Amino acid sequence: MRRYTKSFNGFASMLTHEEAKILSSMDEVVSVFPSKDRRLHTTRSWNFLGFPSSAPRAALESDVIIGMIDSGIWPESKSFDDTGFGPPPSKWKGVCDSNHNFTCNNKIIGARYYHFNITVDIGDGEILSPRDSLGHGTHTSSTAAGIGVPHANYSGIAEGTARGGAPSARIAIYKVCWNEGICNDVDVLSAFDDAIADGVDIISISLGSQGIMGYFEDTNAIGSFHAMKKNILTSSSGGNSGPNSSTIENYAPWLLTVAASTIDRNFVAQTQLGDGQDYKGLAINTVGLNGVMYPLIYGGDAPNASAGVSPSNSSTCAFGTLDGELVKGKVVLCSEVRSGLGPQHAGAVGAIMQTDDGPYGQAHRFWLPVVVLGSNDTTHILNYVKKSSNPMASISKSVGVFNSEAPYVISFSSRGPNPVTSNILKPDLAAPGVNILAAWTPSSGEDYAIISGTSMACPHASGAAAYVKSFNPTWSPAAIKSALITTAHVMSPTKNVDAEFAYGAGQLNPLAAVKPGLVYDVDEKDYIKMLCAEGYNTTNLRAVTGDSSACTSATNATVLGLNYPSVSLLVKHGIPFSNSFQRTVTNVGKSNSIYKATISAPASIKISVESDILSFEALLEKKSFLVKIEGVVETSILSASLIWSDGVYNVRSPIVVYTQKE
């Protein structure tokens, strides 16, 4: 049995279905749900955000502690060198599980590991310690708070200085993910429980679970709610199930939910054919064929007939579909993008793969030389294979190139709208999550690696949140979150047709978030009102919050009434609507200031603000205003915005009005 007693009340235990049913019927039990397995959701990125290494730093940055709930850490990495660091902050109450040759230092000030079901194999190469065998936790930790390491590279690719967003911040490790990136709910809740009690300031969690769950059935939502109560912001990855609608994960309103966007660097490889034609495509190859030409074969012409594989299946180059005798020592043309293990297993020296992602695709890592091309190019190459009596090809090592289209949200990044609370916009914002170079577990032979995912976007936001916290140590989690949302760089809906459901408020902007001018603050009571409006009752609330929270007439509210820095409004297609709600802003800019409202909206909706001028005489002064949105929507999504400006600060709230098929 595992008990949660430090920050919230609960326990995990092996129960039969009948025992669970009996427990769930008890009045004092808020919920009983099965423990699920969650999955992990990777130099140049911070500069691309306009956040150079020379950015101003607060002396208090070294007092900020980021709790990383992930797959552990590789403490010997140069990114976690503690030279120049003093002892941990006095508020730190955590421990270091320093077994199996694992030690902490003044950079990694604490480390714990969790493995509830000890009878389950943790996997080859794993040990029961906080040490990271996957590389994921090391990568995310160095992205959030790694020190600057010059000449970092991945097999000579993307060389530069690798650094985190808050390089002076401390790191606390909570290892919950093991072999193949599996992370158990029981362990995740334990990590939250400990991190809150240990005294972290920011929690970064790059993992989630697909499917729609209520807030009190989701361990990330439960743990982060209790973190919020203790003034801790939880930054989370939005998931990698895009581009389908409503696939967003970690959608609780007290979570910062981060989508994955691109930076202005991509990686390409080149293939040269025997007829002299050259083609360039996205790929991350650590090795090439050095200009040597090899025979070129189409995967559909090399089916593994002994296994009953058809030419249509072997054309995909899936594992086991290719005939090794026909493929060995050749470059294979494949009709799909795959890992490359199929051609490699069959003895190929390289592969050319076809993609339909268009100009906004992703460069994948491969273990043999590969180039990924569009269908027009692969059609030309296939014609060459069919017509030539001796088709040949070579593939180069990858190089970095400028990506002029950035930023845009990558296709795999999960999309909104929020599947549980339709009037809360998710994701909140986007951050670099494509082809990110950061520290890695050296068991692969590399100290740094390039990987992609919303897992990589999340620690960018975590590092930025720590940066904002270092300048504003008394701010609430919601205030930090508001600062990050309202200062985000506006992104282009022409590159992402899902608009705000792809990128939220826009691209992360750490420098501006330190001084946002105004913040939309929210506390536990406000979230309680929202939950009551969502249908939760007093018994449910108290069992989770552990206090006297109640749903009464005094807490009667609407979800739109939550003082969120963005607005999402679901309406019926083609039917006139009118909605009004209040917002309150707190002055954190200049003591004497006047803010004026500017509305940007399409012609089919009208947005008005009362009052549209806010006058402040002191810092931390609060002002409220009423927003009214009305009109008719005959499309899937309309984007608008409200900007408060005093001539120095521009506080932008995205507004989304959308419809859904019934």
Side-chain angles (χ1 to χ4, degrees), residues 229-447:
K229 290 181 61 177
K230 296 296 184 180
N231 211 38
I232 302 166
L233 174 64
T234 301
S235 172
S236 62
S237 51
N240 301 329
S241 300
N244 292 335
S245 174
S246 294
T247 51
I248 193 73
E249 301 172 32
N250 294 321
Y251 38 73
W254 46 87
L255 280 164
L256 177 64
T257 310
V258 189
S261 58
T262 57
I263 61 174
D264 61 347
R265 179 180 63 192
N266 220 330
F267 299 97
V268 300
Q270 178 176 294
T271 183
Q272 183 178 29
L273 304 183
D275 63 359
Q277 293 296 310
D278 292 326
Y279 299 91
K280 291 182 179 179
L282 299 177
I284 301 174
N285 296 334
T286 59
V287 295
L289 299 179
N290 300 318
V292 177
M293 288 286 179
Y294 290 86
L296 174 62
I297 188 172
Y298 173 50
D301 293 335
N304 185 359
S306 63
V309 177
S310 67
S312 61
N313 285 334
S314 66
S315 71
T316 67
C317 300
F319 189 86
T321 63
L322 296 170
D323 185 328
E325 292 186 6
L326 296 175
V327 167
K328 186 176 181 180
K330 298 179 182 179
V331 175
V332 188
L333 175 62
C334 309
S335 62
E336 293 183 4
V337 177
R338 292 184 176 267
S339 66
L341 289 177
Q344 184 182 40
H345 176 72
V349 297
I352 301 169
M353 301 182 182
Q354 179 179 312
T355 181
D356 296 319
D357 283 349
Y360 302 132
Q362 169 197 358
H364 296 273
R365 290 194 304 164
F366 298 98
W367 303 114
L368 79 169
V370 170
V371 63
V372 178
L373 303 173
S375 57
N376 286 339
D377 289 343
T378 55
T379 298
H380 291 155
I381 295 174
L382 181 59
N383 287 335
Y384 164 68
V385 171
K386 296 295 186 182
K387 292 179 180 180
S388 174
S389 60
N390 186 31
M392 304 288 285
S394 186
I395 299 173
S396 71
K397 180 178 178 178
S398 295
V399 296
V401 297
F402 179 66
N403 179 11
S404 62
E405 295 292 335
Y408 53 87
V409 173
I410 198 70
S411 61
F412 65 68
S413 186
S414 294
R415 265 54 171 184
N418 190 321
V420 169
T421 307
S422 58
N423 289 339
I424 297 293
L425 179 61
K426 291 291 179 175
D428 290 304
L429 49 75
V434 181
N435 300 334
I436 305 302
L437 177 73
W440 197 248
T441 298
S443 57
S444 64
E446 300 288 345
D447 293 328

Side-chain angles (χ1 to χ4, degrees), residues 427-485:
D428 290 304
L429 49 75
V434 181
N435 300 334
I436 305 302
L437 177 73
W440 197 248
T441 298
S443 57
S444 64
E446 300 288 345
D447 293 328
Y448 290 81
I450 300 170
I451 58 175
S452 301
T454 55
S455 281
M456 287 63 249
C458 169
H460 279 89
S462 307
Y467 181 70
V468 173
K469 178 81 173 179
S470 70
F471 283 93
N472 305 283
T474 62
W475 281 11
S476 69
I480 296 173
K481 180 176 171 180
S482 172
L484 294 171
I485 290 173

Side-chain angles (χ1 to χ4, degrees), residues 482-493:
S482 172
L484 294 171
I485 290 173
T486 60
T487 60
H489 293 292
V490 179
M491 294 179 69
S492 170

Side-chain angles (χ1 to χ4, degrees), residues 211-241:
I212 300 173
M213 293 179 287
Y215 295 131
F216 293 161
E217 297 171 344
D218 178 1
T219 53
N220 287 5
I222 295 170
S224 59
F225 183 87
H226 288 274
M228 173 272 299
K229 290 181 61 177
K230 296 296 184 180
N231 211 38
I232 302 166
L233 174 64
T234 301
S235 172
S236 62
S237 51
N240 301 329
S241 300

